[in-house]
Amino acid sequence: MRVLVADDERLLADTVAEGLRRLSMAVDVCYDGDMAFERISVHRYDVAVLDRDMPGRTGDQVCRWVADTPDVDTRVLLLTAAAGLRDRVEGLGLGADDYLTKPFAFAELAARVQALGRRSTPAVPPVLEREGIVLDVARHSATRDGRALQLTNKEFAVLHVLLAARGAVVSAEELLERAWDENADPFTHVVRVTMMNLRKKLGDPAVVHTVHRSGYRVGSA
């Protein structure tokens, strides 16, 4: 899952981003509405966590633009210090998918982000299974044929993208877009190295296959 966190409270934004990264999400961070607008215009995010009261474009304005733009499938979670019913109704009326008031417990925010990610297009179930692999996103666990897999956050994220593809081929470029943040260098061998380590941990028989000049998929068909 790829997430954007946008909040002018830098410590809060950075803390939330770090927590989500520990759950194997690829997270970009910005601190104003103009940058949030630019990031969403360029990258494909599953979820954007937007503070309503940011400098530049407000979170409200960015949310409205996302809701009104047909080519943008990003789910929006609005954050605000305003806890009144009228404020919540107004936020949801802008097109937000969810709404959370400050202060909040990180566990609740993470659960809401994961729930919004499952509502992406096409919808991805919370537990993915294929070729003996079971990946539970909520519990952040993975097994193969009942054997627990000790995966790094990045390996977990890559396996999540591959399983969500339901046997379709996933290109290296798409893996970079979905499992890494904007700081990933597309000219490095980071995808190949991560895939090599993931295959070792998955064990034999091989279940992740390379499709020549196309990418990777789980299963041979």
Side-chain angles (χ1 to χ4, degrees):
M1 187 187 304
R2 188 163 185 182
V3 179
L4 174 68
V5 176
D7 197 312
D8 60 330
E9 295 182 52
R10 291 177 176 247
L11 179 59
L12 174 64
D14 292 341
T15 301
V16 167
E18 185 58 32
L20 294 177
R21 289 181 184 124
R22 292 196 184 101
L23 297 175
S24 300
M25 301 182 197
V27 186
D28 295 333
V29 182
C30 60
Y31 310 107
D32 63 71
D34 291 338
M35 186 57 70
F37 174 82
E38 181 180 321
R39 298 281 176 82
I40 297 173
S41 299
V42 172
H43 301 293
R44 178 187 165 197
Y45 292 105
D46 297 289
V47 180
V49 180
L50 304 176
D51 179 54
R52 291 190 68 180
D53 301 312
M54 291 185 289
R57 288 181 175 87
T58 65
D60 287 359
Q61 290 172 316
V62 177
C63 177
R64 173 61 72 189
W65 173 79
V66 169
D68 291 344
T69 305
D71 294 337
V72 177
D73 295 323
T74 302
R75 303 291 182 176
V76 174
L77 170 59
L78 281 182
L79 299 179
T80 183
L85 175 60
R86 181 175 180 179
D87 296 293
R88 295 197 299 272
V89 171
E90 183 182 65
L92 294 171
L94 293 167
D97 298 279
D98 203 352
Y99 193 96
L100 188 60
T101 57
K102 300 177 181 179
F104 53 81
F106 174 76
E108 181 179 4
L109 180 139
R112 289 173 181 262
V113 169
Q114 289 174 326
L116 290 176
R118 291 195 294 271
R119 289 163 54 188
S120 60
T121 306
V124 177
V127 178
L128 299 169
E129 300 183 45
R130 189 173 179 86
E131 301 290 333
I133 300 170
V134 178
L135 187 142
D136 189 321
V137 177
R139 292 182 173 84
H140 200 260
S141 65
T143 62
R144 182 179 185 189
D145 297 328
R147 173 176 58 89
L149 302 173
Q150 302 302 319
L151 305 180
T152 66
N153 288 338
K154 199 57 63 183
E155 291 161 359
F156 189 95
V158 168
L159 185 58
H160 186 195
V161 175
L162 291 171
L163 291 174
R166 298 179 174 90
V169 176
V170 181
S171 68
E173 292 78 11
E174 184 175 355
L175 283 172
L176 271 174
E177 175 71 17
R178 308 301 296 160
W180 276 265
D181 61 28
E182 64 182 355
N183 297 314
D185 185 347
F187 299 104
T188 66
H189 299 294
V190 63
V191 173
R192 187 182 304 172
V193 171
T194 301
M195 194 65 67
M196 178 181 66
N197 292 333
L198 176 60
R199 282 169 163 159
K200 286 180 181 178
K201 293 182 179 181
L202 288 172
D204 294 323
V207 68
V208 177
H209 301 283
T210 301
V211 180
H212 184 56
R213 293 185 178 179
S214 296
Y216 309 91
R217 71 178 168 203
V218 174
S220 57

